[in-house]
């Protein structure tokens, strides 16, 4: 039975992404054009999840899938950083991994392997939603980056 949902760009286009770096989170969210970033990001970052593959999964299954994705990323030579994708109001959040040094196609292939419909591609200027099925950018918005203490997560 295919429980995969249809792709709905609006589910992703307004998402907020937090990436753990040391004792803080970098919070990346869509911002108004011209908003300056207090901290630049090094290179192109991809954010991918193994959780809730198109439908809600149990916490136990999501935890296992999250660990499996981390192992796959490490097998590819990446050093994944903990990340969280969430709705702007915080009512929904999903554990994820942030990686640098992998191609869009590689990250989308991992997304497909783990049943995901989209991944995020972030640089210091933009946050993009990339559909896993065809590696196509379906949403691209200016972003702002804010440092958030780890205890504020």
């Amino acid at each position: 039975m295919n429980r995969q949902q249809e792709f709905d760009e609006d589910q992703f286009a307004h998402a907020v992404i937090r990436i753990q770096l040391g004792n803080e989170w970098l919070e990346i969210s869509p911002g108004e054009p011209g908003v300056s970033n207090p901290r630049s990001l090094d290179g192109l970052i991809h954010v991918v999840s193994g959780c809730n593959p198109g439908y809600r999964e149990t916490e136990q299954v999501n935890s296992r899938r999250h660990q499996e994705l981390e192992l796959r990323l490490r097998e590819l030579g990446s050093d994944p950083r903990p990340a969280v994708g969430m709705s702007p109001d915080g009512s929904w959040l999903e554990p994820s991994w942030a990686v640098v040094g992998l191609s869009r196609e590689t990250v989308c292939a991992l997304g497909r392997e783990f049943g995901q419909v989209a991944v995020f591609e972030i640089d210091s200027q933009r946050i993009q939603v990339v559909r896993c099925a065809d590696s196509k950018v379906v949403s691209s918005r200016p972003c702002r980056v804010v440092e958030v203490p780890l205890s504020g997560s």
Side-chain angles (χ1 to χ4, degrees), residues 108-129:
C108 285
L110 277 172
R112 288 190 304 272
E113 180 181 330
F114 282 83
Q116 302 301 303
V117 295
V119 298
F120 294 95
E121 188 172 270
I122 303 163
D123 64 23
S124 63
Q125 302 297 312
R126 304 199 71 73
I127 182 168
Q128 299 187 124
V129 178

Side-chain angles (χ1 to χ4, degrees), residues 18-80:
R18 284 188 175 180
I19 300 171
Q20 185 179 344
L21 296 175
N23 293 327
E24 66 186 11
W25 292 100
L26 289 187
E27 185 172 281
I28 301 128
S29 58
E32 295 299 317
V35 172
S36 62
N37 293 321
R39 177 181 179 146
S40 65
L41 299 173
D42 287 335
L44 191 61
I45 297 172
H46 288 99
V47 178
V48 60
S49 177
C51 300
N52 299 317
Y55 55 90
R56 288 272 184 214
E57 193 50 91
T58 67
E59 188 175 329
Q60 181 180 14
V61 170
N62 277 336
S63 178
R64 178 183 49 80
R65 292 172 60 83
H66 186 65
Q67 291 172 354
E68 289 172 1
L69 177 56
E70 179 186 18
L71 289 174
R72 290 284 290 120
L73 290 165
R74 290 190 186 284
E75 287 172 1
L76 293 170
S78 183
D79 181 22

